[in-house]
Amino acid sequence: MWAFIHKLGSPKWFYGISARLMPWFWAAATLLILAGTIWGLAFAPADYQQGNSFRIIYVHVPAAFLAQSIFVGMASAGLVFMVWKIKVADMAAAVMAPLGAAMTFVALFSGGVWGIPTWGTWWIWDARLTSMLILLFLYVGVIALRGAFASRDSGSRAASVLAMVGVINIPIIKYSVDWWYTLHQPASFTITSRPTMPLEMWAPLLMMVLGFYCFFIALTLMRTRNEILRRESGKRWVQALAEESV
Amino acid sequence: MSSSDTLDQPLTVVEPRGGLGVALVATLRRDLTLMLRRRSEVMNPLVFFALVITLFPLGLSPDPRLLATVAPGLLWVAALLATLLSLDSLFRADFEDGSLEQLLLAPQPLAAMVLAKVVVHWLLTGLPLALMAPVLGLMLGLPAGSHLILMLALALGSASLSLVGAIGAALTVGLARGGVLLSLLVLPLYIPVLIFGAGAVQAALLGDGVGAHLAILGALLALAVMLSPWAIAAALRISVNG
């Protein structure tokens, strides 16, 4: 167990194993997102109330899922970095933050576009919209704090602490629907309970969610590898790697 | 005095009493004394609070009915910004003169010591803001019945604001220009307190029960007291070492 963790913590080992894992995740992400998109946009039945506009759900919901999951992932990586001083965890946390911020923005934007046909407005001060906006600010704060320090190690540790502090915001987002229910419909999609939508609508959504997660994992692996090469550029194995490929 | 005289006397070394209680009282007293000697720093957030509240009738409308309906939110947002303004100085002076390092080196747990510092911050920022709020509420046409609730909610809520804000202050104390970054880090975390604090005053205005709002504010404070000292301590260690 401990040997495994130590191995995982070594950038060189991680660089090797991620090279083998990454193509699988890319392939799964491409397949799932392609199939989910085609099924969701072309074959799933239109909603009896919202018509075709409901199809934005196939981008909106996976992005919102990812936006929240990435923050938890970033905070967990920060915790691992703070407790065991595993550098790879910090590199992963560093590359996750911009992706999470982008996903939060995608969820907010697609929600606004969806709001026009359903609610007749781009923005309402509803609990979940507001919490997503707060999440975006939290991401920006973590990214800004990491960049503000002159020494990279201090920035990494400060960003880890802030991510762990910010993760208390995630339950607030999750339960905000129950706290101040306003205009937003209650969550229509959960993995644990039976779906309230018909299967033909729900199955492509599940594919899209899984596809987005695979995309996130693949992209994080790829960007962590780049980060490893950048930070470890003085190490012998990286230089050997560079000479090999020349 | 001959040397034999001093040798005859029993050598007494006054051991510094290192108990946690003594250290806490010493920190409290030191910080209170220092802050009370810099009166303008204590006064500035209060003046800022009054000034921001003065701006709203000028910008919105002097209509007392309109002002009374938005007063809970205005008072809370202004108090929140006033707290934010005072945060930057929380650890700044100690960081610059090196006494923060001494605090880090002290044998007592840092989390307890920073709690004492935050208590002083609340006593000289949050509590005065809460005491001052009814006067400004009066000027905004807030009905008399809600003044006590406003004070109570602000006193409870501002303690959470001090605790959470101290995390941000500790993270940015090592940075030369951490002011804007501090607000970016801290304001999102202030939102739950704002919602329930302003909600309590709003409920008092509408004649609803305020118990639930105050209870949630108390729960947020309990959570903040429990968790934030550790985060503040960790953040201070990062800032001082970095």
Side-chain angles (χ1 to χ4, degrees):
Chain A
M1 172 72 191
W2 282 110
F4 175 73
I5 286 182
H6 278 291
K7 249 167 113 188
L8 197 64
S10 131
K12 187 181 173 186
W13 188 83
F14 184 87
Y15 191 85
I17 191 83
S18 58
R20 269 184 287 161
L21 284 174
M22 211 168 53
W24 294 101
F25 280 109
W26 276 124
T30 316
L31 275 179
L32 281 167
I33 291 177
L34 260 179
T37 309
I38 293 169
W39 191 356
L41 294 188
F43 297 108
D47 189 75
Y48 76 100
Q49 249 180 342
Q50 301 185 3
N52 276 322
S53 70
F54 99 96
R55 296 184 200 277
I56 297 176
I57 201 174
Y58 296 118
V59 176
H60 179 74
V61 169
F65 266 43
L66 261 194
Q68 299 175 25
S69 306
I70 292 177
F71 205 98
V72 177
M74 195 173 69
S76 317
L79 182 73
V80 169
F81 172 65
M82 288 295 272
V83 174
W84 290 291
K85 312 276 179 231
I86 293 177
K87 269 189 272 173
V88 174
D90 176 56
M91 297 180 200
V95 301
M96 274 186 219
L99 183 63
M103 280 299 156
T104 315
F105 182 77
V106 167
L108 278 171
F109 183 77
S110 60
V113 173
W114 196 3
I116 284 288
T118 49
W119 300 330
T121 170
W122 286 96
W123 181 264
I124 43 165
W125 287 99
D126 162 78
R128 278 207 281 178
L129 273 78
T130 315
S131 324
M132 273 319 246
L133 190 64
I134 300 167
L135 187 66
L136 183 62
F137 288 137
L138 280 172
Y139 272 119
V140 174
V142 172
I143 297 170
L145 186 67
R146 184 183 288 276
F149 280 84
S151 101
R152 188 171 56 208
D153 190 50
S154 300
S156 299
R157 290 193 291 153
S160 303
V161 169
L162 186 66
M164 283 187 268
V165 170
V167 94
I168 53 166
N169 193 50
I170 300 288
I172 298 179
I173 291 174
K174 281 287 183 197
Y175 294 111
S176 60
V177 181
D178 308 331
W179 283 0
W180 330 274
Y181 177 91
T182 51
L183 203 60
H184 206 297
Q185 52 200 334
S188 55
F189 180 75
T190 49
I191 290 180
T192 47
S193 67
R194 277 178 62 81
T196 50
M197 318 190 222
L199 181 70
E200 305 89 83
M201 286 186 188
W202 179 78
L205 184 56
L206 181 66
M207 287 175 86
M208 286 300 274
V209 169
L210 291 177
F212 266 58
Y213 272 100
C214 288
F215 167 70
F216 156 62
I217 294 171
L219 195 68
T220 305
L221 286 178
M222 191 180 87
R223 299 198 58 212
T224 307
R225 284 161 60 83
N226 291 349
E227 190 74 15
I228 288 175
L229 289 186
R230 187 157 54 224
R231 289 200 197 175
E232 307 273 299
S233 55
K235 296 279 167 65
R236 193 168 293 152
W237 70 271
V238 176
Q239 285 169 352
L241 208 68
E243 276 161 17
E244 238 171 65
S245 60
V246 163
Chain B
M1 191 193 287
S2 70
S3 61
S4 61
D5 266 7
T6 48
L7 282 178
D8 286 344
Q9 297 201 338
L11 195 66
T12 54
V13 178
V14 183
E15 283 279 344
R17 296 196 294 145
L20 182 59
V22 180
L24 281 181
V25 171
T27 313
L28 273 175
R29 190 182 285 162
R30 170 183 173 274
D31 276 26
L32 267 176
T33 315
L34 276 178
M35 281 305 276
L36 287 175
R37 284 191 189 148
R38 289 185 302 224
R39 294 246 169 80
S40 69
E41 246 175 66
V42 179
M43 290 304 293
N44 280 346
L46 297 176
V47 177
F48 177 82
F49 187 33
L51 202 64
V52 170
I53 291 299
T54 314
L55 294 180
F56 280 111
L58 296 172
L60 287 171
S61 134
D63 178 19
R65 274 170 308 167
L66 172 75
L67 286 179
T69 52
V70 291
L74 294 190
L75 286 165
W76 259 94
V77 171
L80 205 129
L81 293 177
T83 313
L84 184 71
L85 196 71
S86 67
L87 280 177
D88 195 46
S89 63
L90 182 54
F91 299 114
R92 178 75 61 192
D94 283 352
F95 178 73
E96 279 167 1
D97 68 14
S99 46
L100 199 59
E101 277 175 46
Q102 300 305 314
L103 201 67
L104 259 64
L105 291 173
Q108 287 81 17
L110 183 60
M113 306 301 278
V114 295
L115 195 60
K117 292 185 87 68
V118 175
V119 167
V120 172
H121 179 258
W122 176 74
L123 277 177
L124 295 179
T125 311
L127 197 60
L129 284 176
L131 294 176
M132 192 174 151
V135 181
L136 298 173
L138 206 66
M139 289 162 73
L140 290 177
L142 209 60
S146 54
H147 285 173
L148 192 68
I149 300 299
L150 172 67
M151 217 152 75
L152 206 62
L154 257 177
L156 257 179
S158 61
S160 309
L161 298 186
S162 289
L163 279 163
V164 173
I167 303 175
L171 281 172
T172 53
V173 71
L175 304 171
R177 274 177 293 280
V180 183
L181 186 60
L182 176 63
S183 54
L184 183 61
L185 303 186
V186 164
L187 282 180
L189 304 173
Y190 274 2
I191 286 165
V193 178
L194 171 69
I195 287 168
F196 291 106
V201 186
Q202 207 88 50
L205 275 183
L206 298 172
D208 292 348
V210 294
H213 288 94
L214 291 181
I216 292 180
L217 278 180
L220 288 175
L221 176 59
L223 200 67
V225 167
M226 210 166 63
L227 298 178
S228 57
W230 307 105
I232 301 169
L236 280 180
R237 288 196 195 284
I238 295 166
S239 284
V240 169
N241 293 337

